[in-house]
């Protein structure tokens, strides 16, 4: 009998060798960047024009769900299908989110009831199998922080 070995991913790397970082750009304001040139403003909920870290977490979850289901939706409903994924969740007393709610809004009126149920099942299966953000939240993840600088 052979034992399948799983190697832990290198936590010092990102997909596609993309570099990610945030820089302080003001009082309670940071700019998140990637090496492909994208930027996002990150601040407290009191900062206009910026996402809070919790909002980014929720947006990442909804975006991951959308990307995971996208090919299934487009295959059945067309490449120009309109999809909106609403996401919500409030932080609890322990400074963490105990749960999130997602609602995938898509027009299924062109499908008969049997095809509609099949597509809903396929969409759930695709998200459950391939949404890395959702799977990580479900399983939990360890976070390793290193503080560096002159001493």
């Amino acid at each position: 009998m052979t034992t399948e070995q799983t190697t832990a991913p290198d936590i010092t790397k990102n997909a596609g060798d993309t570099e990610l970082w945030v820089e302080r750009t003001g009082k309670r304001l940071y700019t998140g960047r990637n090496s492909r040139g994208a930027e996002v403003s990150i601040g407290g909920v009191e900062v206009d024009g910026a996402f809070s870290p919790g909002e980014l977490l929720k947006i990442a979850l909804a975006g991951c769900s959308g990307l995971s289901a996208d090919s299934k939706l487009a295959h059945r409903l067309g490449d120009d299908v309109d999809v909106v994924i609403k996401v919500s969740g409030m932080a609890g007393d322990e400074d963490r989110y105990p749960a999130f709610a997602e609602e995938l809004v898509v027009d299924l009126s062109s499908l008969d009831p049997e095809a509609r149920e099949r597509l809903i099942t396929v969409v759930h299966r695709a998200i459950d199998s391939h949404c890395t953000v959702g799977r990580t939240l479900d399983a939990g993840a360890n976070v390793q922080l290193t503080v560096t600088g002159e001493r």
Side-chain angles (χ1 to χ4, degrees):
M1 184 162 98
T2 60
T3 305
E4 190 176 309
Q5 287 187 323
T6 306
T7 57
D10 182 351
I11 65 169
T12 65
K13 303 283 183 194
N14 292 310
D17 291 327
T18 299
E19 293 182 34
L20 300 169
W21 68 97
V22 298
E23 296 176 6
R24 186 173 192 267
T25 52
K27 181 179 179 183
R28 301 221 1 104
L29 184 64
Y30 283 73
T31 300
R33 295 189 166 88
N34 72 23
S35 56
R36 295 187 318 276
E39 294 185 353
V40 62
S41 292
I42 306 164
V45 294
E46 73 281 359
V47 179
D48 289 338
F51 287 100
S52 74
E55 289 168 339
L56 286 173
L57 177 64
K58 292 177 224 176
I59 292 290
L61 176 62
C64 188
S65 293
L67 289 171
S68 296
D70 195 71
S71 64
K72 306 299 183 191
L73 292 166
H75 176 74
R76 298 274 178 88
L77 300 170
D79 285 336
D80 60 346
V81 62
D82 290 326
V83 179
V84 173
I85 302 173
K86 299 176 183 181
V87 61
S88 59
M90 288 290 289
D93 294 339
E94 298 176 2
D95 267 351
R96 70 176 193 87
Y97 294 94
F100 298 102
E102 290 182 285
E103 178 186 6
L104 192 151
V105 181
V106 62
D107 183 359
L108 303 175
S109 63
S110 65
L111 303 175
D112 63 60
E114 186 177 304
R116 187 177 310 128
E117 289 308 312
R118 263 195 323 270
L119 180 56
I120 290 170
T121 298
V122 167
V123 164
H124 276 282
R125 189 176 301 135
I127 292 169
D128 290 345
S129 298
H130 302 293
C131 178
T132 308
V133 175
R135 291 172 57 84
T136 300
L137 290 170
D138 281 342
N142 294 321
V143 177
Q144 177 182 318
L145 172 66
T146 303
V147 178
T148 59
E150 264 186 62
R151 297 192 187 257

